[in-house]
Amino acid sequence: MAGDRKGGEPAVTLLPVRPPTLRDVAREAGVHPATASRALNPATRSLVNGETASRVMRVAESLGYRPNPIARSLKTSRSATVGLVIPDLTNPLFPPIVRGIEDVLGPAGYNAWLVNTDNDPAREESLVDSLRSRQVEGLIVATARLEHPLLDQLRADGVRMVLINRRTANSDIPSVTPDDATGIAMAVSHLAGLGHRRIAHLAGPQNTSTGKVRQRAFRQALRDYGLDDDPALVADCPTWSEQAGAAALRDLIDAGVEFTAIVAGNDLHALGCYDVFMERGISCPDDISVVGFNDMPYIDKLRPPLTSVRVPHYEVGAEAARMLLDGLADPTRHARSVLLPLTLVQRQSTAPPRQTALRQTV
Amino acid sequence: MAGDRKGGEPAVTLLPVRPPTLRDVAREAGVHPATASRALNPATRSLVNGETASRVMRVAESLGYRPNPIARSLKTSRSATVGLVIPDLTNPLFPPIVRGIEDVLGPAGYNAWLVNTDNDPAREESLVDSLRSRQVEGLIVATARLEHPLLDQLRADGVRMVLINRRTANSDIPSVTPDDATGIAMAVSHLAGLGHRRIAHLAGPQNTSTGKVRQRAFRQALRDYGLDDDPALVADCPTWSEQAGAAALRDLIDAGVEFTAIVAGNDLHALGCYDVFMERGISCPDDISVVGFNDMPYIDKLRPPLTSVRVPHYEVGAEAARMLLDGLADPTRHARSVLLPLTLVQRQSTAPPRQTALRQTV
DNA sequence: CTGAAAGCGCTAACAA
DNA sequence: TTGTTAGCGCTTTCAG
């Protein structure tokens, strides 16, 4: 019975189980698929008769036609998509960056494909591979290390990309990063102003630009402010994690190093400090002051609220996306690198050192 | 000069500017592209002579062949990709869920394509559309509202999906959600045990299952513990945000409602309470106790550390991914819905009410 | 301005 | 076991 068609009935167009294709639209509009394609694509619409074009568009609308981006990609080798390579999405730093990127990409008709490398270079390579095989038109990369063969290779292969947060040692890849050096100087200045003379630094991974730049800037700032530039005051953190920050601080304390304030490599390191304060019964800021870096969400609600160098994360993302789109639109454009200005957000994790605690009552 | 080829030189294979295709591999291996395809696909490899297969694979390896997933998708209408629909990535709830999903999907050869709806139904529809046109094989949806025409439509269209966190009113879509009712009961039980008699609730959006279920469970729990089930104790929050939580609490206080504890709809609402406590000089937990919901990252470091109902987020993601993969592999499989068990994490935002503060010394 | 034809790279009948 | 053929849905020369 199914499939019967009585003589008198017209061969009605059945509701398609399969979504309508360009051919369906073309047939219905009485034109060749090529014409339909031209009519439907804003960029080529001018090549076609106005009336024909609007008829095609009307038919497309009525059929609920949606172009198949896969077929289009296969033909054009483009995808209106960019890849976003993140080391660790659970770091609350990244969501605002992602938001900034999407807000710029969206209106331009682009989408972002987000991948999480988990800080694992092998995983990173395979994910980037998969991104490339999906024809992403460019990459926004937040995983740069100073020495980063994969990125050099991509660069050599002509892959369009923009680095965010961190950079590579050779600076010919466009980047959008915070002005780390100035940020650290502000932190040191703030602590020096409070009267601290011996300030420790939890230095982030030295294979990242952020880790290295911040450490250098820290020691430079100590000298600029005439403070003790004692190498023992710098403790290395092998990762950008709470755990690494905690471990580094424990080492510092256990080694008997004297200090009254800490400039943490980032907010997670500062969180690690809070753990150690709890463990050892240290009072912050009475015994030790701490400054974080990034001003990540919710740290204003910590105990005590963390003083931190604020990075405009949303803007980092937005600016990187703009830069990438610019580069995509005009490949001859010169690689720029942008340093975004930072501000110090003073909260209650910093105060004058005990010796000068009297000033606190002012 | 470029393009010259001196007579004596062999026509060496140039390094391809264009990545090698299946045809290149086939030619090099002396087989037909179809054979190469079969040899390279583990699922069809058995159809081909072992020697031939390994030769093809060797050639593919040496050429650095990478199959083009776009072409494959176009042909097969599949993509080894699932869409992940998130209301707001800046909510730190989601990163662990994403991680759980990726960890299950990855080993199965699948990728996740993540989109952010910003809680905007129009945006959601267009993003889901774009996901579908990219041939995602299924959807993991974290944006469900009780009445959700789009999801009903998808369901009717036969789109495979799994809801997480929230559900729709008609429960025929598989889901992985926290056991909200039990979680709320634990919160109330905890507060009742501390001696609280008048407990307020910041109720999340009533168009979401979480908002509604938690509110109902709250009132049920009040009755179960013989506490005041006063309607005035429930304040509505139109969104799951800090701001909404703060506003609701201000309303409650300004209306002169008496209470000594709050069960927040989620942790963000609880954060909003902290803002109000600060504003109004209210001491937590001395004046008012608060219990959050979700146990999101870092709330253990708040001031005071927040007591919260812990949701196993990573597991929510992992379980949803498993469920979706199961459904993909065997479409006849019956839709299950899973409630994940919760635990109460007691911290310092809850204590006996002032009237019974003596007990605190025990 | 429109149509014809070819092909992006791959896979899945079907045939041999 | 392998090759032949066709085509997924679209765009883009090239003619007309």
Side-chain angles (χ1 to χ4, degrees), chain B residues 191-268:
Chain B
L191 292 170
L194 288 170
H196 293 276
R197 309 301 304 167
R198 287 189 60 86
I199 305 175
H201 177 50
L202 306 185
Q206 294 297 297
N207 61 351
T208 63
S209 62
T210 29
K212 196 146 204 161
V213 168
R214 289 176 196 172
Q215 178 179 192
R216 285 210 185 128
F218 173 74
R219 302 194 59 175
Q220 183 59 50
L222 289 186
R223 281 177 251 121
D224 290 349
Y225 289 97
L227 307 179
D228 289 351
D229 177 15
D230 177 353
L233 286 167
V234 175
D236 280 331
C237 300
T239 68
W240 289 112
S241 66
E242 229 176 305
Q243 291 72 26
L249 177 55
R250 279 188 210 105
D251 288 351
L252 232 35
I253 295 173
D254 293 344
V257 181
E258 305 250 324
F259 56 92
T260 58
I262 301 170
V263 172
N266 76 355
D267 288 337
L268 294 179

Side-chain angles (χ1 to χ4, degrees), chain A residues 66 70 74 79 81 88 99 102 113 118 129 134-135 242 268 271 275 298 301-303 305 348, chain B residues 66 70 74 79 81 88 99 113 116 118 129 134-135 242 268 271 275 301-303 305 348:
Chain A
R66 307 241 337 129
I70 297 195
L74 183 59
S79 61
T81 294
D88 176 12
R99 179 75 77 97
E102 288 182 334
W113 179 292
D118 247 342
D129 240 34
R134 288 192 155 81
Q135 313 271 38
E242 228 176 306
L268 295 179
L271 285 179
D275 288 340
Y298 310 114
K301 301 211 171 49
L302 299 185
R303 123 187 289 173
Q348 288 143 55
Chain B
R66 306 242 339 129
I70 297 196
L74 183 59
S79 62
T81 295
D88 176 13
R99 179 76 77 97
W113 178 293
N116 228 339
D118 248 343
D129 240 33
R134 288 194 155 78
Q135 314 271 38
E242 229 176 305
L268 294 179
L271 285 179
D275 288 340
K301 300 212 171 51
L302 299 185
R303 125 188 284 175
Q348 288 144 52

Side-chain angles (χ1 to χ4, degrees), chain B residues 43-66:
Chain B
T44 51
R45 182 138 55 224
S46 56
L47 299 176
V48 60
N49 182 323
E51 265 180 50
T52 321
S54 51
R55 178 157 38 93
V56 170
M57 294 170 69
R58 200 155 27 74
V59 170
E61 173 71 37
S62 78
L63 255 43
Y65 170 72
R66 306 242 339 129

Side-chain angles (χ1 to χ4, degrees), chain B residues 80-98:
Chain B
T81 295
V82 311
L84 178 48
V85 184
I86 300 263
D88 176 13
L89 192 59
T90 63
N91 185 333
L93 208 67
F94 291 108
I97 294 180
V98 173

